[in-house]
Amino acid sequence: WLCCQTGGFLTPLGNGDPERAYRAFDRRHGGTVIGEGSVFLVLERWEHAASRGAPVLGELAGWALNTDGYMPYYTTEPHGGTLSRAVTTALSRAGVPPAELGCVFADGSGVPREDSAEVLALSTALNGGSSAVPVTAAKPAVGHLMGAATAADMAVALRTLASGTVPPIANLDAPAPGFDLDFVSGAPRQIDRVRSVAVVARGLGGVNACLVLTR
C-alpha cells in the first residue's frame, strides 16, 4: 500500500511498482509506504555494559523531544520550526556542533508537505552547514515501520558509526525543487571516520524527536 495524505487523511493509493513507490524527498514523492519488521535496542549504562564485557555499539549522547500540535494527521507544521528546535537541542546536549555532525538520518516520510517541512527544519538546525552534512533516510528501503521506525533507523545509524558507510536514500532520483540538502543517493557514501550521527523521528499529531549517537 502506498499511503498518500489527502485533506489530512491517509488514503490508500495503488502503485504498479511497489519497490519504487516510497520516494522520500524525490520530486515524485507522493506518500509513505507501510513496512513490516521489528528491531530491539538495548540502552545500558556504560559502567554496567563494561563490567559484563558487552560490545558497545555507540553512545546516546543527546536527545530532545517536543511537539508542535499542528494538526492530527500531519507530523509537523509547514515551516518546521519546532522540529528544528528538537534537532538543535539534541545536538547541544550531545556537545556536537552542526558542522561536525557526521550525517543525519532524516525521518523521510515521503509525504510532500512533510518532506518540505523537514528540509526546512534541517536547513535551520544545521545553521548554514547543511550543504556539508550528508543526509540519508532508511525508511524508503524497508518501508515505514511506524512505532518501530525509529528503532530501525537507530540500528542502521549504529552500523554507519561502525563502518563509516552512509547508505543512500532508495528511489531518490532527483530531489524536489528547493530541496538543497546534501542527500546521499544512488550509492553508499564512505566517510573516513564518522564520530556522530543524528536520527530524526516524527509522529502523527506533531511529535518531533532527535537522537544523537556518538562513537
Side-chain angles (χ1 to χ4, degrees):
W1 292 90
L2 173 66
C3 295
C4 180
Q5 287 194 351
T6 305
F9 294 89
L10 288 171
T11 305
L13 177 66
N15 187 289
D17 188 3
E19 291 186 1
R20 299 278 292 167
Y22 200 150
R23 310 182 66 91
F25 305 114
D26 188 78
R27 57 185 174 81
R28 295 174 58 196
H29 54 178
T32 199
V33 178
I34 306 303
E36 185 177 21
S38 62
V39 176
F40 288 88
L41 293 175
V42 177
L43 188 63
E44 187 175 4
R45 290 186 180 276
W46 170 264
E47 296 81 6
H48 188 272
S51 69
R52 66 185 188 86
V56 178
L57 303 179
E59 178 183 2
L60 179 58
W63 64 92
L65 175 71
N66 63 24
T67 180
D68 52 58
Y70 179 64
M71 63 182 299
Y73 304 105
Y74 295 132
T75 60
T76 191
E77 72 270 78
H79 54 75
T82 308
L83 173 59
S84 174
R85 287 193 292 276
V87 176
T88 299
T89 301
L91 289 173
S92 176
R93 289 174 173 171
V96 177
E100 296 180 10
L101 187 61
C103 72
V104 174
F105 277 80
D107 183 76
S109 75
V111 177
R113 68 178 66 193
E114 294 179 359
D115 282 356
S116 178
E118 186 168 16
V119 168
L120 290 172
L122 290 176
S123 295
T124 301
L126 297 177
N127 194 28
S130 57
S131 62
V133 180
V135 175
T136 188
K139 293 182 183 69
V142 298
H144 198 311
L145 303 184
M146 306 304 284
T150 305
D153 287 354
M154 292 276 280
V156 180
L158 285 168
R159 291 301 306 155
T160 292
L161 275 179
S163 66
T165 302
V166 182
I169 303 174
N171 306 324
L172 178 56
D173 297 329
F179 287 20
D180 57 356
L181 299 175
D182 182 16
F183 294 113
V184 179
S185 62
R189 185 181 304 180
Q190 192 68 31
I191 299 178
D192 289 341
R193 185 171 177 82
V194 178
R195 290 184 170 83
S196 58
V197 173
V199 178
V200 177
R202 300 179 297 163
L204 294 176
V207 177
N208 306 296
C210 181
L211 304 100
V212 179
L213 300 171
T214 57
R215 291 177 66 90

